Amino acid sequence: MSKRSNRSDQSAHKTCVSPRLTLVILIAFLLMCLLLVSACASDNALDERTTQEENASVPSEPILDPQQWLEEYPDQVRSFMTATESAPEHDYLEHYPWLATIYEGSGFAKSYFSPRPHLNALEDVKATLRINEKSPSSCFSCKTPQYTIAELKDADALYSMTFYEVSDQMTQTITCYDCHKNEPGRGQVGRSGFRGGFLGSTRRHFNEQFTDIDQGTASCGQCHNEYYFDPDTKAVKLPGSLTDPKDIFEFYQSIDFVDYENTLTGTQHLKAQHPEFQSYTNSVHDVRGLSCADCHLERVNGRGGQFTNHRITDPVDSPIIRRSVCLPCHGDEGSLELVERTQARTKEQTEAIAIRLAAFTERFGAAVSAGSLAEAQLEELRALNREAQWYWDWVIVDNGYGVHNPTQAKECLDRADELLAQAEALLP
């Protein structure tokens, strides 16, 4: 009896205590939830206030004229504005007459000059003989921020217009907005994956394909890249996120893309643009973490301390860049010797192939005109011609003359040489 009563007492005790414990636990849990909600609300409010404060300092309207930043950033603006000074402009067609034969049928056989500074970009595109009545408005894509702003408003309508239909609306050349939007000192698109809070790439065709790019490379890469015009929309597009010239060639093959047809040979050619970004990607300097800005913009002392000189320069011409960027790996004089040796070798091989390519084009054109080739021969020769010229063109239009990626440049020229030799051997 006593044992049975004892069990009943224990059972009764457990039944009475359990609800109390449950209540205590429930109250503690609710208090914890309230604290967490309060903390989250506080953090969100702080984030919102921070965002509002940041946005309050950003002008609501695009600032395009660099002079409007002069008072706040005098050193940067003044150095940027000196970029109109440059070496004498060269007519490539006059200096290298074989170019006209190689590019026969394209706009580059009519007008091809050495590049000038960014402040001349809009003036130069409006003056070039490569533009005609059929040229799309997207030829302005990297020449003025006004085009990229208009593109964000109504891209389809803009792409449907010709160059001359929008020409009068394009009045501001490349400026601070292209690399910084309205936030000097930073880039643009910082929350879209760019390292370093990059805010600069306003060109849709670039930042739709590349997101994890250092801001010092993305700001240049958004325009200095290999691109093509979509045959249907005329929008500027990149060959996906590809960077290797072999992969890009295969991409163009897969979509049957043609830039122009050589009127002598009937070969449907690709025209490489200025693939500095793709060339530099995966180069030894890229792998080691250097950006375009590291090698082409000096860090100098100004009135308010150290600042970035916005006059783009060649490292060969800058003791400051050589000392801060090149010296740790190459030594000051060693870097100069390496650049000179690489460029000399690249130019020599590029020009040797160009002379042969022009001679082949003339011989091939004569054979086509005489009707001495069977259809199968024409098809094989045109395929070899198209590919050989692609690899040669990739190197000659890169403004680094092989320095951006010496290994890739050598591989491309060797491949062009091999393909051209095959074509020469097949031509009667």
Side-chain angles (χ1 to χ4, degrees), residues 63-92:
I63 294 178
L64 302 184
D65 186 348
Q67 294 295 339
Q68 292 177 263
W69 291 114
L70 182 60
E71 183 176 351
E72 192 171 355
Y73 299 96
D75 293 321
Q76 289 88 339
V77 171
R78 288 195 178 100
S79 62
F80 177 72
M81 296 305 292
T82 64
T84 51
E85 306 162 13
S86 64
E89 188 178 32
H90 296 295
D91 183 341
Y92 284 151

Side-chain angles (χ1 to χ4, degrees), residues 348-370:
E348 181 180 6
Q349 189 175 9
T350 301
E351 292 188 21
I353 293 173
I355 292 169
R356 285 173 53 208
L357 194 56
F360 169 80
T361 300
E362 291 176 342
R363 285 178 54 216
F364 187 18
V368 171
S369 180

Side-chain angles (χ1 to χ4, degrees), residues 76 79-80 83 118 179-180 215-217 219-220 291-300 307-315 318 320-322 324-325:
Q76 289 88 339
S79 62
F80 177 72
H118 289 143
C179 292
H180 302 285
Q215 68 177 44
T217 292
S219 57
C220 301
S291 71
C292 303
D294 290 324
C295 295
H296 291 285
L297 292 176
E298 299 174 332
R299 292 290 294 170
V300 296
F307 76 100
T308 299
N309 183 339
H310 278 58
R311 178 188 171 92
I312 296 171
T313 187
D314 188 324
S318 173
I320 293 173
I321 292 175
R322 294 202 308 275
S324 61
V325 179

Side-chain angles (χ1 to χ4, degrees), residues 250-287:
E250 293 302 326
F251 169 83
Y252 286 139
Q253 292 288 87
S254 70
I255 64 172
D256 295 323
F257 185 76
V258 177
D259 273 303
Y260 73 96
E261 181 176 304
N262 188 295
T263 53
L264 298 175
T265 65
T267 301
Q268 295 187 322
H269 282 292
L270 299 169
K271 179 70 189 77
Q273 306 303 327
H274 29 62
E276 286 87 15
F277 170 73
Q278 286 93 345
S279 295
Y280 184 72
T281 300
N282 296 322
S283 67
V284 63
H285 290 143
D286 178 38
V287 170

